[in-house]
Amino acid sequence: MKVKGKNYRTVWMEGSSVFMIEQNLLPFKFEIFEAKKYFDTCFAITTMIVRGAGALGAAAGYAMAQVFLEAPEEGRDEFIAQARFDIEATRPTAQNLFYAVKRVYKAGKHSVEQAVAEANKIADEDAEDSRSIGLYGNELIKKNAKIATHCNAGWLAFVDFGTALSPIYMAKKEKKKIFVYVDETRPRSQGARLTAWELKNARIPHIIIPDNATAYLMAKGKIDMMIVGADRIVANGDTANKIGTLGKAIAAYEFGIPFYVAAPTSTFDLGTKTGNRINIEERNQDEVIYQTGMDRNGNIATVQVTSPGSRALNIAFDVTPSKYITGFITEKGVITPEEDLIREIATKDE
Ligand code: MRU
């Protein structure tokens, strides 16, 4: 996608360094973070310099490639095993992260060059899958559609294009009139900061709404459909996504509003049977207690927004049971949770 006229991917590798858009600074500053060693890439993942299913997969794949580049002659196998463990410990809910590490680890067993090539292949596939999701998803979007999305599943969350936003970009390209409701205004404001920034750059009409406004807007008939991303989809279709997704899915079901999950098949985890087996990441309470933003003088500041002395619970994801999901928009087409196809379609990595 273009930023100030220049084409960017969210994450890429040059030489032995991994480069990524510093997402914690957006929308206030646009900077590139360079991770010289695999450990720096792990740091970028845990601190959310890079985040979002596909971008995490690409970053983790690159981190694994860095491991092969860095591994010493002596104690090579132990170094690689420990480093793989370090990478996999960064964000436990993100299926793409495990998917990419596994592929690059396997390739690296043959040669360092193959590890790097595999990591680049994963990134290219992610961009291509996102583009296809846009094509299939666009077919579901009617003219004048009012679409809600949650968190950020745009190009910043993938290598390019995104998932939930890719159909929206495609609809815009086809000059369909659309309007987007954007939320995730807490805990990290990924919708309010990142999705809004993406849509503004793409000149797509949108409005930011507080997280607790969606059900009311649905009840009032203001929302025609909802498209969200996913961090992990298990065999029965239960879907882990950013905390807050579940409530919106239940509301959409109640009001008869189609609720779609857009995700590449690399996000499917068929080894896990049901959603209650998903490892849900809990993050530092400071993300709830403090917020970072820009003051009226243009200074970036972090301030406490909760009552001093009270603790906060920061569960990063929730799990939406498949019964609330109308369909999955994948790079291979749209499938419904009941279809056996969900199993077939996600065998790409097996
Ligand atoms: O706070 P984040 O950025 O870690 O939230 C996770 C996500 O990016 C989402 O859950 C997103 O909707 C699915 S991944 C594109």
Side-chain angles (χ1 to χ4, degrees):
M1 286 281 176
K2 280 197 164 62
V3 181
K4 290 178 191 149
K6 192 177 164 196
N7 246 321
Y8 282 94
R9 278 186 163 194
T10 307
V11 53
W12 68 98
M13 193 172 189
E14 281 172 32
S16 57
S17 281
V18 181
F19 293 87
M20 50 202 108
I21 295 172
E22 212 313 3
Q23 301 198 31
N24 289 319
L25 297 178
L26 285 172
F28 309 114
K29 282 185 181 171
F30 184 81
E31 282 180 14
I32 304 301
F33 178 84
E34 178 180 0
K36 293 190 171 150
K37 301 275 176 195
Y38 94 85
F39 212 75
D40 303 322
T41 308
C42 288
F43 168 81
I45 293 172
T46 33
T47 57
M48 293 177 76
I49 287 169
V50 64
R51 34 63 55 195
L56 282 174
Y62 285 136
M64 197 66 233
Q66 283 177 309
V67 170
F68 284 100
L69 286 163
E70 286 167 40
E73 289 277 305
E74 212 181 292
R76 190 172 174 83
D77 288 350
E78 293 74 20
F79 179 91
I80 292 168
Q82 177 59 44
R84 179 179 181 172
F85 177 84
D86 294 340
I87 301 166
E88 290 185 336
T90 53
R91 305 262 348 240
T93 310
Q95 166 64 11
N96 288 67
L97 187 146
F98 292 86
Y99 164 85
V101 167
K102 189 173 159 188
R103 273 181 59 175
V104 178
Y105 179 82
K106 222 167 138 186
K109 289 275 169 206
H110 300 287
S111 72
V112 177
E113 292 71 28
Q114 284 189 46
V116 175
E118 190 69 7
N120 277 318
K121 194 162 170 253
I122 290 167
D124 289 346
E125 282 173 10
D126 186 74
E128 193 43 45
D129 289 352
S130 292
R131 209 181 67 85
S132 303
I133 285 170
L135 294 173
Y136 286 115
N138 177 34
E139 289 171 17
L140 302 168
I141 299 177
K142 299 196 176 88
K143 279 185 196 147
N144 296 315
K146 295 182 280 332
I147 309 158
T149 188
H150 180 59
C151 194
N152 174 264
W155 71 271
L156 289 168
F158 287 80
V159 174
D160 210 349
F161 301 103
T163 51
L165 295 193
S166 187
I168 290 170
Y169 289 133
M170 219 51 91
K172 159 82 178 173
K173 207 171 156 196
E174 285 194 353
K175 299 196 181 349
K176 272 186 205 168
K177 213 173 145 202
I178 44 167
F179 186 82
V180 185
Y181 286 98
V182 174
D183 75 10
E184 210 287 70
T185 52
R186 294 242 69 202
R188 294 192 55 97
S189 297
Q190 305 292 53
R193 294 186 310 109
L194 305 177
T195 299
W197 183 79
E198 283 195 31
L199 294 177
K200 197 189 110 219
N201 289 348
R203 296 173 197 277
I204 294 173
H206 65 281
I207 195 160
I208 298 165
I209 54 169
D211 292 334
N212 31 23
T214 317
Y216 179 70
L217 290 168
M218 285 179 174
K220 286 291 186 188
K222 301 273 187 203
I223 293 171
D224 300 315
M225 71 187 300
M226 182 146 195
I227 314 178
V228 300
D231 297 274
R232 189 179 288 253
I233 302 164
V234 297
N236 71 346
D238 291 353
T239 297
N241 193 47
K242 184 60 177 278
I243 192 85
T245 306
L246 172 61
K248 287 160 216 309
I250 295 170
Y253 188 77
E254 170 66 23
F255 295 113
I257 295 165
F259 184 94
Y260 289 99
V261 172
T265 50
S266 50
T267 306
F268 286 72
D269 163 18
L270 297 176
T272 303
K273 285 205 174 85
T274 66
N276 54 21
R277 306 292 293 271
I278 300 175
N279 184 0
I280 297 293
E281 177 185 3
E282 199 178 313
R283 294 183 59 84
N284 195 295
Q285 63 169 350
D286 283 358
E287 292 182 349
V288 176
I289 294 175
Y290 297 94
Q291 277 224 280
T292 300
M294 189 186 267
D295 70 17
R296 290 178 202 274
N297 300 318
N299 304 311
I300 292 178
T302 299
V303 294
Q304 180 158 5
V305 293
T306 59
S307 180
S310 294
R311 292 184 302 129
L313 181 61
N314 188 13
I315 302 164
F317 304 96
D318 57 27
V319 178
T320 299
S322 62
K323 77 167 196 179
Y324 297 119
I325 298 168
T326 311
F328 297 96
I329 310 168
T330 77
E331 79 278 14
K332 297 181 180 182
V334 181
I335 54 173
T336 58
E338 304 85 51
E339 281 175 290
D340 256 4
L341 211 54
I342 204 169
R343 177 162 289 280
E344 268 171 54
I345 218 162
T347 49
K348 204 169 78 166
D349 61 319
E350 285 173 358

